[in-house]
């Protein structure tokens, strides 16, 4: 097999270059899978080396939240130091128990942290986010999710607390954002907490059995210095492959035209459609997640 056949159409059969054939597609897919497996190995052997370097501002998140509420004619929520502590405690616990959920593997609940911070509520809610690069994208993601949007725009809330904490989660440097809402006015017959679009009644014994946790808030386990952003690297590799295939398709058409055998086939359109879809997916993709 001639080396140039990887990049140019065959001299006699005019078969496409190997790197833009369907066999080449399989090679790209296998290489991408190998890259993801390599990330998993690094996560396991060198925790904290991979991760997202975020620039999230706690005050700006509160400001952006209130802007969305005011757009809907709702009163702004006021920052509560107790809810800030509750949010920080929740983020710290997610790192300590290595989970990404509203309820901890140990059985800790969102209201455990709220009550433990000293905040007495009748109505509360929690939104979570991780691995966003900036504050605007966090609030945009919450607003684009019906359940998170309803929580953020709930007229019953009077107070807000937010924590932005970095640490190691599943081997990766992760930025967790915990947003907690609450009100201590008597507007509910029984205290409830809204998580994932559902109102969960708080057991009465929770108010007497949950210990004060404010003094238990210690230093969060910091992540190691991040060397590689796996999302950016995957995106760069993906765009590199797309650029390579686009260039090879252009060369393919040019060479065939020079040989006088130019023909546009369904294969060309299939390749161009696949490249366009892949480029669009990479451009709009985000490493951030909400819960």
């Amino acid at each position: 097999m001639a080396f140039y056949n990887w990049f140019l159409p065959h001299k006699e059969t005019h078969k496409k270059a190997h790197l833009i054939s369907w066999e080449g597609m399989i090679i790209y897919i296998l290489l991408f899978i190998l890259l993801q497996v390599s990330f998993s190995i690094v996560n396991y052997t060198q925790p904290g080396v991979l991760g997202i370097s975020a620039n999230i501002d706690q005050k700006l998140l509160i400001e952006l939240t209130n802007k969305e509420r005011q757009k809907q004619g709702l009163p702004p929520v006021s920052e509560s130091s107790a809810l800030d502590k509750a949010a920080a405690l929740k983020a710290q616990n997610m790192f300590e128990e290595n989970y990404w959920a509203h309820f901890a593997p140990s059985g800790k609940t969102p209201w455990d942290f709220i009550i433990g911070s000293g905040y007495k509520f009748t109505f509360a809610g929690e939104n979570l986010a991780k691995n966003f690069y900036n504050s605007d994208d966090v609030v945009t993601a919450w607003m684009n999710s019906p359940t998170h949007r309803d929580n953020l725009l709930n007229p019953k809330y009077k107070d807000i607390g937010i924590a932005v904490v970095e640490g190691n989660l599943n081997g990766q440097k992760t930025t967790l954002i915990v947003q907690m809402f609450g009100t201590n006015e008597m507007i509910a017959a029984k205290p409830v907490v809204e998580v994932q679009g559902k109102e969960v009644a708080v057991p009465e014994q929770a108010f007497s059995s949950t210990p004060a946790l404010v003094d238990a808030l210690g230093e969060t386990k910091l992540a190691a210095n991040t060397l590689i952003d796996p999302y950016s690297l995957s995106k760069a590799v993906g765009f590199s492959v797309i650029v390579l295939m686009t260039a090879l398709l252009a060369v393919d058409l040019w060479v065939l035209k020079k040989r006088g055998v130019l023909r546009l086939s369904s294969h060309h359109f299939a390749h161009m459609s696949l490249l366009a879809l892949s480029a669009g997916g990479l451009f709009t993709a985000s490493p951030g997640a909400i819960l």
Side-chain angles (χ1 to χ4, degrees):
M1 182 186 297
F3 177 74
Y4 74 87
N5 284 340
W6 287 94
F7 303 93
L8 298 174
H10 195 279
K11 285 184 178 180
E12 299 173 358
T13 65
H14 307 302
K15 184 179 179 181
K16 287 183 178 58
H18 296 307
L19 288 178
I20 52 175
S21 65
W22 294 113
E23 293 85 354
M25 295 284 190
I26 295 175
I27 293 175
Y28 299 137
I29 293 172
L30 291 176
L31 288 175
F32 190 78
I33 292 174
L34 178 62
L35 181 63
Q36 303 309 309
V37 171
S38 299
F39 288 154
S40 298
I41 294 173
V42 172
N43 277 338
Y44 181 76
T45 59
Q46 300 290 330
V49 172
L50 302 181
I52 305 297
S53 294
N55 182 25
I56 310 293
D57 184 80
Q58 185 255 10
K59 299 296 182 184
L60 181 56
L61 286 173
I62 295 176
E63 179 184 329
L64 293 171
T65 295
N66 277 328
K67 281 184 178 180
E68 295 297 339
R69 290 176 65 87
Q70 288 168 349
K71 286 178 186 178
Q72 304 300 319
L74 297 171
V77 285
S78 302
E79 184 176 5
S80 163
S81 59
L83 287 179
D84 282 341
K85 291 174 182 176
L89 286 164
K90 174 59 178 285
Q92 178 179 288
N93 181 252
M94 282 195 281
F95 285 125
E96 289 174 349
E97 297 192 36
N98 197 41
Y99 70 97
W100 165 244
H102 288 286
F103 296 88
S106 63
K108 288 187 177 69
T109 67
W111 54 83
D112 285 333
F113 303 103
I114 299 174
I115 298 171
S117 72
Y119 187 87
K120 304 300 182 182
F121 68 94
T122 55
F123 207 87
E126 178 182 83
N127 283 337
L128 303 178
K130 68 173 180 177
N131 284 342
F132 284 88
Y133 288 114
N134 59 70
S135 305
D136 293 86
D137 289 345
V138 176
V139 177
T140 298
W142 280 333
M143 289 298 293
N144 287 337
S145 165
T147 56
H148 294 83
R149 174 188 171 91
D150 290 345
N151 213 13
L152 192 145
L153 299 179
N154 195 317
K156 296 178 181 178
Y157 297 142
K158 307 296 180 184
D159 303 316
I160 186 175
I162 289 183
V164 181
V165 185
E166 286 187 348
N168 285 325
L169 190 67
N170 295 321
Q172 279 197 25
K173 176 186 173 185
T174 302
T175 301
L176 291 178
I177 303 102
V178 180
Q179 181 185 55
M180 287 187 168
F181 297 99
T183 181
N184 52 18
E185 296 179 5
M186 295 303 297
I187 59 174
K190 216 174 181 183
V192 294
V193 173
E194 184 169 313
V195 289
Q196 292 184 291
K198 297 180 180 179
E199 291 186 357
V200 183
V202 179
E204 291 183 8
Q205 62 267 28
F207 287 92
S208 58
S209 61
T210 303
L213 299 174
V214 176
D215 295 334
L217 182 60
E219 291 187 4
T220 303
K221 180 182 177 183
L222 296 178
N225 291 330
T226 301
L227 300 179
I228 303 171
D229 181 337
Y231 169 74
S232 296
L233 180 58
S234 297
K235 199 169 186 178
V237 171
F239 275 121
S240 297
V241 171
I242 289 173
V243 169
L244 173 64
M245 292 188 66
T246 301
L248 290 177
L249 276 173
V251 170
D252 181 82
L253 292 173
W254 180 78
V255 170
L256 293 180
K257 182 179 179 181
K258 293 281 287 183
R259 294 176 182 173
V261 291
L262 175 64
R263 75 282 186 193
L264 286 174
S265 66
S266 59
H267 295 291
H268 285 98
F269 292 111
H271 276 83
M272 289 185 284
S273 298
L274 180 61
L275 290 174
L277 288 172
S278 300
L282 284 174
F283 185 78
T284 58
S286 168
I290 59 176
L291 190 64

